Amino acid sequence: MSDAAQLTITEVRAAAEAVKTAIDRHLQAVSSSTEPGDPVVVHAYEELAAAAIAYDQILYEVYDEVTPFEIPGDDAGTGYQGPEHPEAISVLIRRDYLIADPKRLRAQAERVDESLPPGEGAEGEVTAAIGVLFGEYEPDEIAARAEEFGLEEGDSTLWVSAADPSDPGEWLPEPFDGADPELLICRFDVSEVYDDELDEL
């Protein structure tokens, strides 16, 4: 292997290490933040985005491969098209769960509501239990205690989009109609796909 080739591979490895470091810094900033719009978090996000882009570019140059990471606004054709100073924002969250243990799910619901009526068959019992648990606990607590509730976490995503100010109850009949990619300020995805990619670095 030539010295030039060895240097290039070393540069790829250095770029990968920079991504790992940026991830650690971003996690530290997020976990230590106490206020929305924390400039430390914003700076850590920007550093992580820059490191991911740099790694993606050199990976493509050397190995003709790319990563699954997408940085909002990186593509001029599909980037943010909303106002520079939005009057409001909308936060949309999707979390998927596999019902891994229906009996445990039902048991946890019965601890909350001893009068929980049996559903019509196994499916009815599960849907009744889900209604009780999600009515009792905040979504973040359910995510943190998913295994305890008989659930297995799947993919999740969080979108922060520019929005127009709305009156109370205005958008409740159709809460997700306003999910416009052109108004997307930032998004954060969690998936085993990304975990597998990081493990391979």
Side-chain angles (χ1 to χ4, degrees), residues 7 11 21 27 41 48 55 65 78 97 137 144 165 182 189-190:
L7 178 60
E11 290 173 344
T21 300
L27 178 58
V41 174
L48 176 55
Y55 173 66
E65 294 288 347
T78 59
Y97 297 94
Y137 299 105
E182 292 189 351
D189 301 326
V190 177

Side-chain angles (χ1 to χ4, degrees), residues 4-133:
Q6 182 63 48
L7 178 60
T8 303
I9 294 174
T10 300
E11 290 173 344
V12 174
R13 173 56 60 183
E17 292 297 329
V19 173
K20 296 178 185 179
T21 300
I23 289 174
D24 289 338
R25 289 176 178 171
H26 182 261
L27 178 58
Q28 178 63 35
V30 170
S31 61
S32 302
S33 177
T34 58
E35 59 179 338
D38 188 335
V40 176
V41 174
V42 173
H43 180 67
Y45 171 85
E46 292 173 348
E47 285 192 335
L48 176 55
I53 291 171
Y55 173 66
D56 200 286
Q57 289 175 340
I58 193 169
L59 188 70
Y60 182 79
E61 291 174 3
V62 177
Y63 296 110
D64 198 25
E65 294 288 347
V66 296
T67 69
F69 307 132
E70 293 184 5
I71 308 301
D74 184 46
D75 185 343
T78 59
Y80 177 67
Q81 302 295 317
E84 183 177 355
H85 302 290
E87 296 183 65
I89 60 171
S90 179
V91 180
L92 303 179
I93 300 174
R94 172 174 174 170
R95 289 183 175 133
D96 285 2
Y97 297 94
L98 176 68
I99 300 176
D101 191 338
K103 291 183 178 179
R104 178 179 294 184
L105 180 70
R106 176 75 186 191
Q108 290 290 349
E110 289 176 347
R111 291 182 181 180
V112 174
D113 184 357
E114 295 181 355
S115 64
L116 181 66
E120 296 181 2
E123 292 184 0
E125 291 188 356
V126 168
T127 54
I130 290 172
V132 168
L133 291 177

Side-chain angles (χ1 to χ4, degrees), residues 148-169:
E148 181 182 339
F149 293 142
L151 302 173
E152 181 180 321
E153 288 187 276
D155 291 351
S156 66
T157 187
L158 182 150
W159 288 29
V160 181
S161 302
D164 294 325
S166 60
D167 295 327

